[in-house]
Amino acid sequence: MREYFTFKDLNLSDEILHALNKMGAVTPTTVQREAIPLLMKDECLIAKAPTGTGKTFAFSIPILEYLDMSSKDIQALILCPTRELALQIASEIKKLARYIEHFNVVAVIGGQSIKLQAERLAKHPQVVVATPGRLIDLHEKHLIDIRHIYTLVLDEADEMLRMGFIKNVQDIIKITPKDKQMALFSATMPREVLNITWSFMQGAKEIDVMPKAEDRPKIDEFYVEVAQKDKALTIIRLVKENGFNKAIVFCNTKTTTTEVYEVLKSAGLKCGCLQGDMGQGARNRMMDGFHHGKFNILIATDVVARGIDVDDVDAVFNYDIPKDNEFYLHRIGRTARAGKTGKAYSLVSYLDKPRMGEIIRYTGASPELLVLE
């Protein structure tokens, strides 16, 4: 296969190249080099690619290159598992399309006003990014028409199906045109994902992207052995000693996020807390506060592990060791975004050691043991 060294070598339009340059993106990642030429040839695609490898650009650029700006139909539909990821993808597409006149992308997600979403859809967006449940709601209310789309993308398909959206996804695929272009991106290929590919994507091209050294985020990983009762104090110490400007602390439960928030706040750190029980409006306000520096430490459950793209996170702390091996990669991938460097600390109590050992074996991670005096 031909090697591509810059986005310019992919024969992209001036508008897209200008936007990429504005975003500081010059060299495509491995998944972008492999996926973009295939999608621009109208191929259907099954891509196994880990998080943090640049998948959003890989499917968004071909969509934007082939828009028919004279049409009032929705031309591309992107399905993803979480509200946060949908909003993030829509934001990235908007940046990529900043020099395309009259372009419109809409995110439709649960937790927001259906009336407001219907008003946005009435303005004829070319691209819609959606969570499956809300899309089905809008379809059943005849507020969205996806019968004429050209491209359907299933992003993070494994997570989407793991969350129980398989029937919704199948129904959506059946509503859309039979001759559409489909692209499926997934970090893993469990049977539920394979069933989708066997049923709806016969003859699709396949790529399996193992992240190369240049694609891997530049994250220094550390393993800190600490008593459970001292974990919060250890985070306070590491934040103060290293002068981190922005950090995320991951916990496994909503109760723990609140407990850690109270300890860090009482130590004088500016904190915010984000977990699944919060309404969408409150979650959006919390993320806006974190983005804009109203506080510099976000304590969260895995609701934000996938899809939140904050460019300047210095460090990630695993207060609790994640229960799912993949979530370790999703969590630490919140730092070292956009070519920057970052640090990831896993706080490991005696009872955590077997779980951490399993994560190391599964992910191939090699965190350095950090001994605090």
Side-chain angles (χ1 to χ4, degrees):
M1 194 184 90
R2 179 184 168 188
E3 286 293 322
Y4 299 95
F5 299 102
T6 70
F7 280 108
K8 198 168 184 179
D9 294 318
L10 290 166
N11 298 316
L12 305 180
S13 64
D14 289 342
E15 291 89 345
I16 298 297
L17 287 173
H18 192 185
L20 288 165
N21 185 57
K22 183 87 172 176
M23 298 163 79
V26 177
T27 306
T29 65
T30 305
V31 71
Q32 291 160 5
R33 285 197 300 269
E34 294 195 21
I36 290 173
L38 290 171
L39 292 173
M40 288 180 66
K41 290 177 184 174
D42 198 26
E43 300 280 3
C44 290
L45 178 66
I46 300 165
K48 182 180 177 185
T51 190
T53 49
K55 292 179 291 181
T56 302
F57 281 14
F59 60 72
S60 299
I61 288 173
I63 287 171
L64 295 176
E65 288 287 3
Y66 288 99
L67 290 176
D68 178 0
M69 299 304 292
S70 65
S71 173
K72 291 189 174 182
D73 291 329
I74 296 168
Q75 295 171 54
L77 171 63
I78 300 160
L79 292 181
C80 56
T82 67
R83 302 167 181 180
E84 286 76 19
L85 183 56
L87 293 170
Q88 181 60 43
I89 291 171
S91 174
E92 290 297 299
I93 292 175
K94 199 172 290 184
K95 291 176 190 173
L96 275 172
R98 69 179 75 196
Y99 299 112
I100 300 176
E101 286 189 24
H102 310 300
F103 174 78
N104 187 11
V105 57
V106 169
V108 292
I109 58 177
Q112 287 187 350
S113 161
I114 283 186
K115 182 182 177 184
L116 178 62
Q117 291 177 354
E119 290 172 359
R120 290 172 178 169
L121 291 168
K123 295 178 181 177
H124 305 294
Q126 292 83 19
V127 179
V128 169
V129 188
T131 49
R134 176 49 60 94
L135 186 71
I136 289 291
D137 287 346
L138 289 166
H139 170 74
E140 290 177 348
K141 290 179 170 63
H142 305 290
L143 296 173
I144 190 169
D145 186 357
I146 55 172
R147 294 172 301 166
H148 307 290
I149 68 163
Y150 184 77
T151 301
L152 173 63
V153 176
L154 307 182
D155 190 28
E156 300 207 352
D158 51 350
E159 180 69 3
M160 197 150 47
L161 302 185
R162 188 188 70 80
M163 292 172 67
F165 288 125
I166 186 163
K167 185 177 186 306
N168 285 347
V169 170
Q170 290 172 331
D171 289 345
I172 290 164
I173 292 172
K174 290 172 184 175
I175 295 165
T176 55
K178 286 186 177 180
D179 62 349
K180 64 184 170 291
Q181 180 186 44
M182 270 187 74
L184 179 148
F185 290 80
S186 191
T188 59
M189 289 289 170
R191 176 163 294 278
E192 293 85 357
V193 174
L194 293 174
N195 286 343
I196 292 285
T197 66
W198 293 334
S199 300
F200 300 103
M201 300 185 70
Q202 292 290 335
K205 300 293 184 183
E206 297 185 33
I207 60 175
D208 188 345
V209 179
M210 293 303 293
K212 297 182 180 179
E214 65 266 25
D215 298 331
R216 288 183 183 275
K218 298 175 180 64
I219 304 170
D220 295 325
E221 299 173 51
F222 298 99
Y223 175 114
V224 187
E225 293 185 351
V226 59
Q228 183 69 30
K229 64 182 179 63
D230 294 330
K231 285 186 175 184
L233 296 175
T234 301
I235 292 172
I236 294 166
R237 176 179 170 180
L238 288 167
V239 168
K240 289 184 175 180
E241 287 182 356
N242 290 277
F244 294 132
N245 292 316
K246 195 162 283 188
I248 302 177
V249 178
F250 282 108
C251 304
N252 288 347
T253 69
K254 293 170 280 190
T255 301
T256 308
T257 59
T258 304
E259 292 171 352
V260 174
Y261 168 77
E262 293 296 340
V263 176
L264 269 58
K265 184 181 177 185
S266 67
L269 299 180
K270 293 182 179 179
C271 307
C273 184
L274 185 64
Q275 34 90 348
D277 273 354
M278 298 169 66
Q280 188 62 42
R283 286 158 73 167
N284 290 346
R285 287 191 295 274
M286 189 64 67
M287 282 308 304
D288 285 344
F290 189 50
H291 271 286
H292 296 116
K294 292 180 180 176
F295 57 90
N296 63 335
I297 300 175
L298 180 66
I299 300 114
T301 55
D302 286 304
V303 72
V304 297
R306 299 178 90 134
I308 295 302
D309 194 354
V310 182
D311 287 345
D312 50 355
V313 173
D314 303 310
V316 167
F317 293 91
N318 288 315
Y319 179 92
D320 292 318
I321 305 305
K323 295 177 180 177
D324 187 305
N325 295 334
E326 287 282 345
F327 274 31
Y328 175 80
L329 298 175
H330 300 318
R331 287 181 178 188
I332 71 170
R334 296 313 98 198
T335 188
R337 308 293 283 186
K340 298 179 182 177
T341 59
K343 298 183 187 300
Y345 298 89
S346 294
L347 306 182
V348 183
S349 69
Y350 177 76
L351 293 177
D352 292 328
K353 285 185 179 181
R355 179 87 272 277
M356 190 66 202
E358 186 180 333
I359 286 172
I360 289 171
R361 288 190 296 275
Y362 177 83
T363 63
S366 53
E368 177 186 340
L369 178 62
L370 180 64
V371 179
L372 298 177
E373 298 298 330

